Amino acid sequence: MSYKAAQQFLIGCVASFSIISGSVVAQSGLPDIGGNAFSTITPEKEKQLGDVMMRQTRGSLPMVYDPLLDEYINDLGNRLVARASDVKFPFKFYWVNNKNINAFATLGGNIASHTGTLAVSDSESEFASVIAHEIAHVTQRHIARFVEAQNQRAPMSLAAILGAIVLASVNAEAGMAAMMATQGAAQQSAINFTRGNEQEADRIGMKVLADSGFDPYAVPEFFYKLTQQNRFVNQQLAFLQTHPLSQARVSDTRLRAEQFPKRYVPDSKDYILSKARVLARYQYSSKETVEIFQQRLSQPGGNTKANLYGLALAKLDNGLFADAQQIIEDLLQQDPHNLYYVDAYTDILLGQNQFEKALEMLEQEYLIRPNNQVVTLNYANAAVKAGSYRLAIHLLRNLLYYKSDNILAYDLLSAAYKQLEDYPKYYEARADLYYQLANYPKAIDDLNEALNHIGEKSRLENRRVEAKKQQLQAEFDRLKQM
């Protein structure tokens, strides 16, 4: 689904506040964090802190809000989690729009991967090996133990330590500087995990990978690839900054892999199409992508559905709707309910103002998969474009009932309410969006706007929105004191 306008709006939201002042609390309430709050982090407290960190991350990094990619990484991640031990809470997986190879975990089972990690992987087992490694960091409580140790050396505020961890996850040097500035003294390797932590995550991650049906030999293969790439660049790869990789570690993973039988694991269709989507939408410019996929298709064995799909996306993003439509229609004939193709076809039809045809197709898909976010968001987006705003609102409110943190749903919902000139609901939906991005001041401002438009027209509605505003203000005040 093409959400460029929404992405630009969200980037503007992110730019409006800083990484540390943007901390946010889960709706269930903040953990009871006092002066020595990090001395013992229970699993329950870790989950609560993880929710704070994830909202902070969403408000400070260029996250990818792409329902297809979101479904893929969460399906893959939860397949791995199902084979892990010591899982104490649900995991969530996210994407960061970054061409560098990296992935990171925060407290509470929140794991993010750079889009560049998927782009450079040569197999699904390679990509899964990175996710399994991060899962092991969480299940072995490496992050929680690090936070406890740091606080024992020099007690820190919630905002400072969480901000430093998030920053170091993406930029090790900047994260180290943030930690040093807060503590007044350098800590050995700052946020970087210890050698023992990395070895433990390698060992446990490889077992999780193998138990999940992937090839454990992908771990040393991926590590070797990283070391070879690093030889030819001046600056370390992002993954190597936050996950120090020695030759001994590569050798150790190779020896561990030999304890498992070598297996051939074919890549899933979702992996192949997700990788093509990342290459087309996040790795190269639109103009480059057309040439890249045309070249791939011309090579021996390159005439694949993934390369055709990538070329269709490239044509679509360059406004070549007729060319893109021919490719996608051919693919849909072979696989009529494939969500990657349905998503692209929706954008092609909307780009040509064929709203009724898009709605008719998506209505049928919605009947088959009413709770699927890819179908629902496409359907709601088409409804907004077609002027069927009440249909869009109905679809989006149902989606948010079971997926209350969906950024795109809030953005589309606010757009639908605005078109209906229902300004109280419009500003409330915008407030919910800003809340998900950890921007309390903007959320509270928009709730005030909602109250201004409600006025005395509905006393009950006025009380409900006022209570919501007071709750957000109280949470924000509490965060600022930590």
Side-chain angles (χ1 to χ4, degrees):
M1 196 170 194
S2 180
Y3 294 111
K4 291 185 177 179
Q7 289 280 22
Q8 290 173 355
F9 170 73
L10 296 173
I11 290 170
C13 297
V14 169
S16 64
F17 58 102
S18 69
I19 198 168
I20 292 179
S21 66
S23 297
V24 68
V25 61
Q27 290 191 11
S28 58
L30 279 170
D32 183 14
I33 301 172
N36 197 28
F38 297 107
S39 58
T40 302
I41 300 182
T42 64
E44 181 181 2
K45 186 178 289 185
E46 181 179 350
K47 182 66 175 72
Q48 291 176 312
L49 287 169
D51 290 340
V52 174
M53 290 187 69
M54 194 58 237
R55 290 176 182 269
Q56 184 183 44
T57 302
R58 293 175 98 176
S60 56
L61 298 180
M63 308 298 285
V64 172
Y65 301 108
D66 185 317
L68 282 162
L69 295 179
D70 179 70
E71 294 242 320
Y72 170 67
I73 196 172
N74 276 280
D75 287 347
L76 173 67
N78 284 309
R79 175 181 169 185
L80 294 164
V81 169
R83 294 293 183 173
S85 302
D86 301 316
V87 177
K88 295 179 173 61
F89 29 65
F91 277 65
K92 290 186 178 180
F93 301 86
Y94 305 86
W95 293 98
V96 176
N97 188 2
N98 193 312
K99 297 177 184 179
N100 293 321
I101 304 170
N102 204 5
F104 60 89
T106 63
L107 293 167
N110 294 300
I111 293 173
S113 170
H114 285 191
T115 51
T117 307
L118 180 62
V120 303
S121 63
D122 288 326
S123 69
E124 189 167 29
S125 290
E126 283 191 0
F127 181 65
S129 74
V130 176
I131 304 301
H133 179 95
E134 299 304 326
I135 290 171
H137 276 311
V138 176
T139 59
Q140 300 312 114
R141 311 201 73 223
H142 293 157
I143 309 163
R145 295 206 302 263
F146 167 79
V147 173
E148 292 172 353
Q150 290 297 107
N151 189 63
Q152 289 172 3
R153 294 190 185 98
M156 302 169 63
S157 71
L158 169 67
I161 196 165
L162 298 189
I165 290 175
V166 170
L167 187 57
S169 297
V170 183
N171 186 324
E173 293 180 359
M176 186 183 296
M179 187 67 73
M180 289 168 60
T182 305
Q183 294 182 253
Q187 295 293 336
Q188 191 272 329
S189 74
I191 305 299
N192 291 346
F193 296 118
T194 66
R195 183 179 301 175
N197 290 155
E198 288 300 307
Q199 290 176 339
E200 186 173 39
D202 289 343
R203 175 176 57 82
I204 293 174
M206 185 179 292
K207 185 177 187 305
V208 169
L209 188 72
D211 290 348
S212 301
F214 293 102
D215 181 12
Y217 286 80
V219 179
E221 289 170 1
F222 191 70
F223 280 174
Y224 179 75
K225 179 192 302 181
L226 291 178
T227 58
Q228 291 301 301
Q229 288 188 30
N230 192 48
R231 290 173 56 191
F232 303 105
V233 294
N234 294 326
Q235 187 178 8
Q236 281 191 318
L237 295 168
F239 188 85
L240 302 188
Q241 288 183 311
T242 52
H243 302 72
L245 185 61
S246 65
Q247 188 59 47
R249 187 175 164 204
V250 177
S251 300
D252 183 57
T253 57
R254 186 176 294 112
L255 290 173
R256 289 189 185 281
E258 291 175 357
Q259 300 174 15
F260 299 89
K262 180 69 175 176
R263 62 175 67 155
Y264 170 71
V265 182
D267 296 329
S268 71
K269 182 191 299 182
D270 286 345
Y271 164 79
I272 295 169
L273 293 175
S274 291
K275 181 176 176 179
R277 188 174 182 86
V278 164
L279 291 172
R281 287 267 164 90
Y282 304 100
Q283 198 72 5
Y284 305 109
S285 70
S286 297
K287 291 183 179 179
E288 288 178 318
T289 308
V290 173
E291 296 180 3
I292 288 169
F293 280 103
Q294 284 177 334
Q295 184 179 14
R296 286 176 172 230
L297 285 162
S298 67
Q299 295 172 349
N303 188 16
T304 65
K305 292 179 181 178
N307 286 333
L308 287 168
Y309 171 67
L311 180 61
L313 291 182
K315 297 275 192 179
L316 167 62
D317 292 344
N318 280 281
L320 303 173
F321 298 115
D323 292 349
Q325 183 169 350
Q326 183 61 57
I327 297 171
I328 291 298
E329 285 180 345
D330 289 344
L331 291 171
L332 278 169
Q333 282 189 346
Q334 302 172 60
D335 195 354
H337 299 293
N338 184 301
L339 289 182
Y340 291 84
Y341 307 156
V342 168
D343 173 274
Y345 198 47
T346 300
D347 287 335
I348 291 167
L349 294 176
L350 296 182
Q352 300 176 93
N353 296 326
Q354 297 183 43
F355 304 129
E356 292 305 318
K357 187 173 181 179
L359 288 173
E360 182 180 345
M361 174 189 68
L362 291 165
E363 181 181 13
Q364 297 304 311
E365 293 296 330
Y366 188 75
L367 291 173
I368 298 171
R369 287 171 283 200
N371 294 323
N372 181 275
Q373 65 166 327
V374 178
V375 173
T376 304
L377 288 168
N378 271 284
Y379 195 7
N381 186 44
V384 170
K385 297 285 188 183
S388 300
Y389 306 119
R390 297 193 187 282
L391 171 60
I393 290 168
H394 171 74
L395 294 167
L396 293 166
R397 289 177 68 88
N398 284 345
L399 175 63
L400 288 168
Y401 182 77
Y402 65 90
K403 197 169 178 59
S404 61
D405 63 346
N406 194 292
I407 295 291
L408 291 176
Y410 285 119
D411 187 52
L412 286 170
L413 186 63
S414 65
Y417 280 129
K418 186 175 183 180
Q419 290 298 323
L420 288 174
E421 298 184 356
D422 187 343
Y423 291 109
K425 293 294 186 183
Y426 162 67
Y427 282 111
E428 186 177 359
R430 283 211 340 169
D432 290 334
L433 173 59
Y434 283 121
Y435 178 78
Q436 293 298 329
L437 292 171
N439 195 335
Y440 269 87
K442 291 289 291 183
I444 292 168
D445 285 347
D446 277 341
L447 288 178
N448 281 325
E449 287 290 341
L451 288 167
N452 289 337
H453 282 85
I454 294 171
E456 297 298 323
K457 291 182 292 186
S458 172
R459 186 171 298 178
L460 184 63
E461 188 71 358
N462 190 294
R463 288 180 178 178
R464 183 187 66 79
V465 176
E466 180 64 35
K468 188 174 184 177
K469 187 191 83 170
Q470 293 300 328
Q471 181 186 10
L472 263 64
Q473 185 65 61
E475 291 174 353
F476 188 38
D477 291 341
R478 189 174 179 187
L479 277 168
K480 289 189 292 185
Q481 294 173 4
M482 293 181 178

